[in-house]
């Protein structure tokens, strides 16, 4: 059990660290887009590469946050009934529906690996602008993000099984067990 908890803690801490690091991408996007707007008004000409750079930064930002959101249990739920369930009933429901999550991730991992492999092998660049930036790093991040999400999904499944079996779950390793346990201070 100690090894499983150590694995869970490592995965959760990694996803939280990456999520916090990725949050700074919003600042970079803000500066980039604000510079573009300012240049458009001052020189009557936008920065030619800002739209593509923004698209690539936002793409990585959006996909890399999946593991972080799962670690904090911040993914969207349909809480019509689920919100009123006990922790054990929530765990049972999550276990019963986890095959959908893992099916989705199987497809995502397969497709993102193929896309990343192809992009890296060709050192793919974008032809949308004259500066032709490399896009293989952005495409490979989709595969990395899928792996991080898969690992966090495994951690959540382990936590749900532990709850169902009546074990105490260390929230610093497995993330919050009860939705209300997450507050502004970030408990993981």
């Amino acid at each position: 059990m100690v090894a499983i908890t150590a694995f869970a803690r490592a995965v959760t801490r990694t996803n939280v660290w990456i999520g916090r690091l990725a949050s700074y991408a919003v600042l970079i996007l803000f500066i980039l887009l604000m510079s573009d707007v300012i240049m458009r008004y001052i020189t009557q000409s936008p920065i030619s590469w800002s739209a593509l750079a923004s698209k690539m930064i936002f793409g990585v930002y959006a996909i890399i946050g999946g593991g972080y959101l799962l670690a904090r249990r911040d993914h969207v739920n349909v809480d019509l009934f689920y919100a009123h369930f006990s922790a054990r009933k929530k765990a049972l429901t999550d276990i019963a529906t986890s095959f959908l999550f893992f099916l989705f991730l199987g497809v995502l991992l397969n497709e993102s690996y193929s896309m990343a492999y192809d992009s890296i092998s060709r050192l793919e660049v974008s032809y949308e602008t004259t500066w032709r930036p490399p896009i293989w790093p952005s495409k490979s991040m989709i595969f990395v993000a899928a792996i991080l999400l898969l690992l966090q999904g495994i951690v959540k499944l382990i936590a749900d099984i532990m709850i169902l079996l009546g074990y105490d779950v260390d929230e610093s390793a497995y993330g919050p067990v009860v939705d209300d346990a997450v507050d502004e201070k970030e408990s993981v």
Side-chain angles (χ1 to χ4, degrees):
M1 192 65 79
V2 173
I4 293 172
T5 301
F7 165 76
R9 184 173 281 110
V11 169
T12 300
R13 283 184 178 170
T14 301
N15 274 313
V16 167
W17 182 81
I18 288 173
R20 287 178 179 162
L21 183 65
S23 70
Y24 291 105
V26 173
L27 180 61
I28 295 168
L29 278 170
F30 172 76
I31 292 169
L32 184 62
L33 294 173
M34 183 59 82
S35 300
D36 187 50
V37 169
I38 291 170
M39 290 302 292
R40 190 172 301 169
Y41 282 105
I42 291 175
T43 65
Q44 305 301 318
S45 163
I47 302 170
S48 63
W49 49 267
S50 67
L52 181 59
S54 297
K55 191 171 20 173
M56 290 179 359
I57 292 169
F58 185 75
V60 171
Y61 168 76
I63 192 76
I64 203 73
Y68 172 76
L69 289 172
L70 187 57
R72 290 187 36 93
R73 308 297 187 263
D74 281 344
H75 281 281
V76 175
N77 287 326
V78 180
D79 282 343
L80 202 56
F81 303 107
Y82 186 84
H84 303 292
F85 289 172
S86 67
R88 286 182 61 124
K89 198 167 187 179
K90 284 181 181 181
L92 181 62
T93 303
D94 289 345
I95 291 169
T97 59
S98 66
F99 77 94
L100 294 170
F101 173 80
F102 290 112
L103 179 66
F104 164 75
L105 271 173
V107 172
L108 181 61
L109 281 166
N110 184 49
E111 294 300 318
S112 64
Y113 175 79
S114 297
M115 183 175 59
Y117 181 80
D118 180 56
S119 187
I120 292 169
S121 67
R122 295 184 296 123
L123 294 176
E124 186 177 8
V125 297
S126 173
Y127 292 99
E128 286 183 37
T129 63
T130 55
W131 67 292
R132 295 190 177 142
I135 58 174
W136 62 266
S138 296
K139 286 188 173 184
S140 61
M141 288 304 294
I142 298 169
F143 181 66
V144 171
I147 290 171
L148 291 169
L149 184 57
L150 173 67
L151 291 172
Q152 195 65 50
I154 291 168
V155 167
K156 182 169 181 344
L157 181 62
I158 292 168
D160 289 336
I161 291 169
M162 289 173 63
I163 290 167
L164 202 59
L165 296 175
Y167 289 104
D168 287 331
V169 176
D170 180 0
E171 291 189 359
S172 69
Y174 295 95
V177 176
V178 182
D179 297 333
D180 297 337
V182 179
D183 59 7
E184 295 300 316
K185 294 181 186 173
E186 205 167 305
S187 60
V188 287

